[in-house]
Amino acid sequence: MAAKEEIETTDTAKEKKGNASSPVIKVATFIVDRRNLFFLLFIIGAIISLVTKNWVKVENSLAAYLPDTAETSRGLDLMEEQFVTYGSAKVMVMNIPYSEAERIADRIEKDPRVSMLGFDGEKEHYNNFSALYDITFIYPSDDDRALEALEDIEEGLSGYDLYVSTSLGDAQAEQIEAEMQVVSLIVAVIVLTVLIFTSQTYAEVPVLIITFLASAILSAGTNFLLGTISFVSNSVTIVLQLALSVDYAVIFCNRYKEEHKTLDIREADIIALSKAIPEIFSSCLTTVGGLVAMMFMQYGVGRDMAICLIKAISFSILSVFLLMPGLIMIFGPLMDKTKHRNFVPRINFVGRFDYATRHVVPLLFLLVVLAAMFLQNNCPYVYGYSKLVTPIKNDTQIADEMIEESFGDSNFVALMVPAGNYEKEGRMIDALLACPEVKSVTGLASTEAMDGYMLTDKLTARQLSELLDLDYEVAELLYTAYAVNDENYAKLINGLSSYSVPLIDMVMFAFEEVKEGYVTLDDDLYNDLKSANDKMQLAKDQLQGEDYSRMLVYLNLPQEGDETFAFLDRMHEIGDGYYGEGETIIAGESTSQYDLMKTFNRDNIVVSVGSVLIVLAVLLFTFMSAGMPVLLIAVIQGAIWMNFAFPTIMDTNIFFLSELIVSSIQMGANIDYAIVISGRFLELKDRMPRKEAITETLNFAFPTIVTSGSMMTLAGVFIGQLSSDGAISGVGQCIGRGTIISIVLVMFVLPQILLVGEKIIDKTSFKMSVPIKLDRGFGLVRVDGMVRGNINGTVIGEMNAVVRGEVNALVTLGKMETISEEDALKELAVKEGDVQ
């Protein structure tokens, strides 16, 4: 035993000496030997991230990510700057008689926090024994008191069959977060099951799980550095991070187990890490390349999600390189004790099938791809949620559907025009009302104040006194003060009898004069004036700003569609006729979806072409062949077209964002499956018959594909089936379906293409033959590493052997040295002892 330990010590010393010349080995050795330092850094980082995770700001509006030049963005900015949007809600009470509906309306209207209540006997507010109350609160929509007031109203009506639709609060965001927590839990169980099934030792599973959890926590905790992220990124990044990056940990773990067959735990850990670093980097380049294409989108959600995922993948790589080696040192002995049989079966039948159909399948694939490309071009994309059907519905969606079923859909847009001319606004409102597409228009010029007068109607002092039951002398005094304040001195000289002022301006001016003590009124008249002033102030806050006036145009059109988008253009034409070209701005759901459609047309081309070019560049340098990248991309691009041909075939609307995000992820991530098969086939095709080579290739690649592919597929499926949000659900469904299609193609189509296109690959190779320095040895030579050269014949592969004879070869990621006969006998004795 002592002799054996002495031999091992001698060999280890020699190995260290040989490896000292390799920078990668030096780095790997440092990481393994300084593992406690990295444990400490990751623990500190995780603790900080668990705190900072709560600092992340989430944007729940997709419209917020439109370009600044988009009309929706300009409109939203203008409304935030110029107008006050008060908190509002639609409350529907079902199964009540009209008398009870009136009593409820009286109760709601008496709430001092309610500024306006829309309810009458018309069908718009009472239908099929259901009452609909349009409630506007005295607080702005971002004031928590508005939500509290609504919750109090709901509590007071808790005994009724009640449905509430509102944008107040973050109820929908909270529901989405709860749904994704369930999805994450299910995916965690799936990951654990898949890892146990595909592992060779039970103890490697906690190593992989801890590595991923560390990267997920760090990724989530650093999102606050991005300022604000979209709810889509916040919801699916962790799940997609697992699906996209689990390969890295599996690659390193498999490398370690391979090296551990001949080396102890520490040495195997170091050598495995040194070999895994370049392998993992090359694997992640295609994934990151596909995501980078999303960063060139005009629509900011793509850039936001790309940054989040690239950051997540970066933390995954850091966890694999810096944390996992230390975990292997801890769990290594337990991994040796918990080995189990391989549960992943060999799939020789697939190889035999692929070889037998090599002349048929490529032609069929070409026909299917052409059909898929045509169908994909006709995919029924939508740009809002109104036409989407999700597998499950949240409370908000259920309430909206119930209200729509009883009272119809309400679609309106906010039309903003330069302020200052009530007459022009009135004429424009009349022009809009003349259009059959317009149901109604709410603006200062179309809002009735009292006794048939509109807010902007001009009244003389006599008319105002009669309207408000005000002494004419008082009215005349008010008009005089108004003329002075307005610097309209001509009216003072020529008389006030014909001087007319818009009703809203005069009432609000009169209230200020009374409040300042310049005019005295009895209590009843003062209360009436105050009530009128408060309502007019509420209307003015919402409909008139310092520079712009706002009109709410209610449409007889759906939120999106060609007819709706065409009428938005028509509204601009009407506005241009009154205010000049480009002076009118329209904001609303319809405008947002129109802008999304415009950005999609450009972004779809950018993402598709960009992801293909970036991945193509990576593959060119990976395979050093022009033909191989084209063949691989053709397969994955075909899978993408097939994926988005399904909505056309099933006549199912699909949210446009699914195409932009999933096509990048599918190109960047699923291409790895094709790379694994292609790379292995190129290694084997010159060493054995092609039938055996393709069979062995598929057996080699299947465990990797089934591990990563099943995780991504199931993660996508569960996101798609358990999310009530149309954008998140669509992304999940397309990822799940797309991954399945990609797996089928790389297993049942790509091998045939490689077999048929082998000559094309060889002829388009541009590997350059450059002079290289070969290691030479004579006599007894120990060879340990990746070898390419002549050893009594040509050898390409990894070796760990003693050669008697002449060696003339290039050795990478290892070493070669001449040893003595005595050392050779000692090494043989050690190996025989290990076998025994």
Side-chain angles (χ1 to χ4, degrees), residues 658-678:
S658 303
E659 160 81 10
L660 297 174
I661 293 176
V662 176
S663 60
S664 292
I665 293 176
Q666 194 173 348
M667 175 59 72
N670 294 168
I671 196 74
D672 282 349
Y673 309 151
I675 292 174
V676 171
I677 290 177
S678 304

Side-chain angles (χ1 to χ4, degrees), residues 37-72:
L37 170 64
F38 292 109
F39 285 157
L40 178 62
L41 292 176
F42 271 90
I43 289 172
I44 294 174
I47 293 173
I48 294 174
S49 295
L50 289 174
V51 175
T52 58
K53 183 178 182 294
N54 299 319
W55 299 354
V56 179
K57 296 180 181 179
V58 179
E59 175 57 63
N60 295 311
S61 172
L62 290 175
Y65 288 91
L66 282 164
D68 292 338
T69 56
E71 184 174 20
T72 299

Side-chain angles (χ1 to χ4, degrees), residues 13 17 32 95 119 161 217 229 261 313 343 372 418 442 506 513 523-524 589 647 661 665 719 729 798:
K17 183 178 179 181
V32 172
N95 303 313
F119 177 78
D161 192 0
I217 292 172
I229 64 173
K261 293 177 182 178
I313 291 173
F343 296 120
T442 299
M506 181 51 69
E513 294 293 295
D523 291 343
D524 290 339
E589 287 295 330
I661 293 176
I665 293 176
I719 291 174
S729 176
E798 293 182 26

